[in-house]
Amino acid sequence: MRILEGRATVEDVDAVVAELAAIGDENGCTVQAFDARYLVGREQLDRAVELADRAIDRGENVARDRGVEILLYAAGRRQIDDALAMGVEAGEQDVAVLVDDVDAEDGAAADADAEASDAEIEAREADAAAAVREVLELDERPTVGVERADEALVREFFDVTEAELAATDAELADIVLERVALLNVEK
């Protein structure tokens, strides 16, 4: 999995989403863009991918599209419309784009030559990442992490109250990761 980070200007959200989907289809990858202000760290996306893949494998997924299922988990939401708030919007913004080969989890490990399979996966992800950088004209600077997230926005989106923060020694990122994991329980 790759996470591309940077500042981008999105003029037409629907057109960008369609272009990213086409890049994904062309390269056998899932490509999902996020408003980076909502992301407290790479772990949030790692966990979202893991849980989305598990839900898909079990036939328990909410969305038909893997990228949307990943978005649901990253947002800790069951409703697609609610989770879309975490996607990109029109205008200039910090973005994070997840690029993950569809076969990466399986690793095409069933192949006799696993190294070639890993190389193929790496090449597809690299090609998709290059195309995403071009489409979004990313300036490629760090955007993901608790120190870069909009704390007030994250707290509001994930409904993290002062009382909750005061009742635990957990950090905001830990609480968000808990919300991501709890989506499975709430299904």
Side-chain angles (χ1 to χ4, degrees), residues 14 30 71 78 124 158 169-170 181:
D14 292 335
T30 297
L71 176 65
R78 291 188 66 210
R124 288 194 300 254
F158 288 97
D169 57 353

Side-chain angles (χ1 to χ4, degrees), residues 66-130:
R66 181 175 182 248
V68 174
E69 190 73 11
I70 292 168
L71 176 65
L72 289 169
Y73 275 96
R77 301 284 198 281
R78 291 188 66 210
Q79 299 297 319
I80 294 171
D81 287 343
D82 294 341
L84 287 174
M86 226 175 140
V88 294
E89 55 189 36
E92 187 176 348
Q93 65 209 279
D94 287 340
V95 300
V97 182
L98 178 139
V99 176
D100 188 43
D101 190 283
V102 174
D103 294 328
E105 189 62 31
D106 298 335
D111 291 354
D113 187 2
E115 283 185 40
S117 296
D118 288 345
E120 289 172 11
I121 288 169
E122 182 68 25
R124 288 194 300 254
E125 286 181 353
D127 290 347

Side-chain angles (χ1 to χ4, degrees), residues 38-83:
Y38 292 89
L39 299 174
V40 295
R42 180 185 173 98
E43 300 83 17
Q44 185 177 355
L45 295 178
D46 287 337
R47 187 74 173 141
V49 169
E50 175 188 333
L51 293 169
D53 285 344
R54 186 168 67 187
I56 291 166
D57 288 345
R58 293 178 176 176
E60 298 171 351
N61 47 308
V62 172
R64 288 179 287 220
D65 180 80
R66 181 175 182 248
V68 174
E69 190 73 11
I70 292 168
L71 176 65
L72 289 169
Y73 275 96
R77 301 284 198 281
R78 291 188 66 210
Q79 299 297 319
I80 294 171
D81 287 343
D82 294 341

Side-chain angles (χ1 to χ4, degrees), residues 154-156 158-162 164-165 172 175-176 179:
V154 169
R155 286 185 52 195
E156 180 182 340
F158 288 97
D159 195 26
V160 178
T161 64
E162 279 295 329
E164 184 175 9
L165 286 170
L172 179 60
I175 294 170
V176 169
R179 299 287 200 279

